[in-house]
Amino acid sequence: MYEPIRSKSVHSTMAGTTSDFPHRSREEELDIQLAGHLAALLAVTDELRTLAPAADLDTAADRLAEQVTRLRAGRPPVRTPVAAVTELPLLHRRAHALAGRALVVAASRADTAAAILAAERMDAHAAAQGEPPELSGAAQ
């Protein structure tokens, strides 16, 4: 009635087999994600520094670069010169949103230094937009 299976099944379970691709831990994935958010925030900060140079932006850029380097195991972020000139309010909104994302990831991985830096940048960009700092988290 039924013909027996004569070849090996193409459907197999993963139990007992080793995979050929590397797996990352949740901590490593969060490090990668946080480094990406902070690097994006650094790029926007560099744009802001080009349009409106300020000492606090220089300090923030240095601190962001340090955190990205730490999260990437000593590899510094790539920083390119800014070519396009955009509106300051748009850049501050973008930076505020990126700092918020970085804050969420930093909090989930309990990275106090990165969380404090992200929160400070959120407040700074909210203030630059004319928002009170205590309302900056609700504006996203």
Side-chain angles (χ1 to χ4, degrees):
M1 208 155 134
Y2 291 104
E3 192 168 332
I5 298 174
R6 295 186 181 157
S7 63
K8 188 173 182 178
S9 174
V10 295
H11 304 288
S12 62
T13 62
M14 293 298 290
T17 62
T18 59
S19 61
D20 292 338
F21 57 94
H23 290 281
R24 290 189 285 254
S25 68
R26 181 175 189 278
E27 184 77 14
E28 290 169 324
E29 289 292 337
L30 288 173
D31 283 349
I32 292 166
Q33 190 176 16
L34 180 56
H37 289 316
L38 291 176
L41 180 57
L42 175 60
V44 173
T45 302
D46 283 342
E47 284 185 63
L48 284 166
R49 288 172 58 213
T50 301
L51 293 174
D56 66 325
L57 288 174
D58 294 338
T59 303
D62 292 340
R63 291 178 63 202
L64 287 166
E66 287 172 14
Q67 290 298 318
V68 172
T69 301
R70 178 183 62 87
L71 291 165
R72 290 184 175 167
R75 291 178 316 193
V78 175
R79 296 174 81 175
T80 59
V82 180
V85 175
T86 359
E87 296 181 33
L88 277 172
L90 176 65
L91 287 174
H92 282 294
R93 278 194 304 275
R94 188 182 314 155
H96 185 269
L98 288 166
R101 290 182 193 120
L103 178 60
V104 169
V105 176
S108 71
R109 68 178 296 280
D111 188 333
T112 307
I116 290 171
L117 177 59
E120 288 172 359
R121 297 317 310 151
M122 281 184 73
D123 288 345
H125 293 295
Q129 294 178 64
E131 293 179 21
E134 63 274 2
L135 298 178
S136 65
Q140 290 186 16

